Amino acid sequence: MSTLFKHRFKVCRNFLTLILLFPTLANATHVVGGEIYYNYLGNNEYEIILKVYRDCGPTNVNGTGFDLSASVGIFETSSGDILFSDFFMDLGSAEVEVMPIELENPCFILPPDVCVERAIYTNTITLPDIPGGYTLVYQRCCRNPSIVNLDFPQDQGATFTSHIPGSDEVGENNSSAQFINFPPVALCQNAEFFFDHSATDEDGDSLSYEFCPSFLGGSVNTPAPLPPQGPPFNTLNYANGFSYDYPIESDPAFTIDPNTGYLSGTATALGQYVMGICVSEYRDGVLINTTNRDFQFNVTICDPNIISSIPDPSDFCLGQTILFENTSINASFYHWDFGIDGIESDTSSLENPEFAFTEVGVYEVTLIANPGWPCADTSQTTFTALPVISPEIITGDYECSNGQDLYDFSFTSNASATASFQWDFGIGSIPQTSTELNPQNIVMNPEALTMNVTLAIQDNGCEEADSETVDNPPNPIATILPQESICEGFDISFDSSVENAVDYLWNFGTDGGGDFSSEPSPEFTYPDTGLYQVMLIVTAPFTCNDTSYLGIQIYGLLDPQYPSQPTQCLDGNQFDFEAFGATTSTATYLWDFGPAAIPATSNQANPQNIVFTEPLMHTVTLT
């Protein structure tokens, strides 16, 4: 003891300052597994990480938890002397969590009573380089009494160890390899098991994997020995038929690939089994460290997990992209076959794939849940591909009746005779909806300039729709402007005030033919004077016509004139006059021959024997 104490004192005094803690131990708990490793932080400082796994299921009858502190022994590898027995890691700073209990094989359902909890203890320590390096040791008892590959498992504890190489072993400081994942603690009986048990090494060292003996550590009376026992370590006592490299009753036997760490096998007997796996680090071909992992497998009866299921389909429409619903239970991957003969491209590995059938027909769709697995399950169902309905609305005849716009509608489609139809003509239309095949005389909303007409067709479970925008232009308004000039004869120019019109039709009200015009502002020559009824009809597509009437009075054009008179001698002169330019029999005349005429005036149409008393040039006026 004096030599051991002296060695410890020397190390502490020269290059290490420790805060001494005294371990507080909880009641014994069932150790499921663990490992210890380290990270080099620089300046001879190392982060020590200890992972301890314990049973938190029904077999932990006392309900005990993790130790409040974990003690790691640090030994001088070359001499085997312990340097530190009081390097503690406090549970208060540890990460504690319940491990997810998952199966790598998705064929089965785990029983609900499997429970494993993990604590990750960490602390840092300064370890100057020494020849041969250091050995880290953590020991804890005890294991589950139900373990079947050990003799008296409840009396056997566990030792987790790792080596920090010295400068004589490796040219530079080392961080140990670390296992990436913890294996699933539950295996299903007679189910193929496989697991990637590889590790990672930040130094880039070559790694090798193997089954290795698990070590004893601690006892029922001393569950967490302080100080822990140093190397060499005693191995576990295996029951008959078991060893460290055949730890589970299995067929095929469990193996681990030395290069990849791939662990596989099929457990054939129920129970709990301890397995030890080591990862060794090689640098430049030289072994510099081996880290052991000790863990417990629970081989249990698992219910079949995979059920393939496709819901009963409804008929669907040809050419549509169909989303296939997958209601399988607990499957992880899939293989769909959509049943088209003669091709291989009608498959999918998606969970809920989309697929479009291009031909009408009946197809047997197959879904395999977890294809390639012994527990793969298959379901089938029939889908009927129907033609695309492809409705297309046709706006038919238009009629204006009593000032209302009436439309007829029809359509083209691939619908069958059993199809149903739902028309919607928009708010304000009469009727707004219809289920007729070809609805007619639909009164459109007069306030709407456009209407969205929709036809939805349902046929054999398929539904397709078409929409058509129908213009509903405002009705034209016709107004003939009043006649302003009434003394310009038979030639009349017509004008109008018209809104929304496209076409014009004038009727000038004569009895004879040819008194029509389609010009917006026509001209017309009347055959005679009189009162005429003029009519204007204006039209536009898909509107009600409008008509305007105007009575006009046609007066004859007055163009007074008379023939010139020859020169006569004063003695015996006598002039006869004849009036022209009156176009009606009701015209009145007024002649003014001047003061030297006898008579000076006349209201006859053709006055005779007018005598002038003076030899002059006389002005005669006819009104």
Side-chain angles (χ1 to χ4, degrees), residues 305-451:
N305 192 32
I306 309 303
I307 300 176
S308 174
S309 176
I310 309 174
D312 292 335
S314 58
D315 291 332
F316 58 94
C317 304
L318 175 69
Q320 291 181 330
T321 299
I322 305 303
L323 177 62
F324 285 86
E325 185 180 2
N326 185 343
T327 55
S328 300
I329 298 176
N330 296 323
S332 300
F333 45 96
Y334 309 91
H335 176 79
W336 289 83
D337 189 319
F338 302 109
I340 301 179
D341 295 333
I343 66 172
E344 297 181 358
S345 59
D346 63 329
T347 61
S348 176
S349 59
L350 298 177
E351 181 175 356
N352 296 290
E354 293 181 344
F355 189 78
F357 290 90
T358 58
E359 295 184 4
V360 176
V362 178
Y363 299 90
E364 193 76 19
V365 177
T366 302
L367 171 61
I368 303 175
N370 280 36
W373 287 85
C375 62
D377 191 38
T378 301
S379 59
Q380 290 182 319
T381 191
T382 299
F383 281 81
T384 301
L386 300 173
V388 176
I389 299 175
S390 300
E392 185 175 344
I393 296 173
I394 299 175
T395 302
D397 293 338
Y398 165 84
E399 179 184 1
C400 176
S401 177
N402 297 323
Q404 292 182 322
D405 298 314
L406 306 181
Y407 289 84
D408 295 344
F409 292 96
S410 61
F411 66 95
T412 60
S413 77
N414 297 320
S416 70
T418 60
S420 61
F421 309 92
Q422 182 65 50
W423 292 85
D424 191 323
F425 306 107
I427 298 175
S429 298
I430 303 174
Q432 181 177 337
T433 61
S434 174
T435 57
E436 295 181 3
L437 190 65
N438 297 307
Q440 298 181 346
N441 297 327
I442 303 301
V443 179
M444 289 299 181
N445 180 3
E447 301 299 326
L449 296 179
T450 59
M451 297 157 296

Side-chain angles (χ1 to χ4, degrees), residues 161-212:
T161 182
S162 189
H163 175 61
I164 300 177
S167 61
D168 57 330
E169 301 174 272
V170 61
E172 56 188 14
N173 296 88
N174 182 59
S175 293
S176 63
Q178 301 178 20
F179 291 110
I180 300 173
N181 299 305
F182 193 76
V185 297
L187 306 182
C188 294
Q189 182 185 22
N190 298 321
E192 181 182 2
F193 173 79
F194 42 88
F195 177 72
D196 182 1
H197 201 280
S198 62
T200 182
D201 187 273
E202 68 176 30
D203 303 316
D205 298 325
S206 298
L207 303 180
S208 178
Y209 307 89
E210 61 183 338
F211 291 122
C212 59

Side-chain angles (χ1 to χ4, degrees), residues 478-491:
T479 303
I480 303 174
L481 296 179
Q483 184 182 12
E484 295 182 355
S485 298
I486 62 174
C487 298
E488 296 183 357
F490 300 152
D491 296 328

Side-chain angles (χ1 to χ4, degrees), residues 508 510 512-517 524:
F508 301 113
T510 64
D515 61 342
F516 296 93
S517 176
F524 185 73

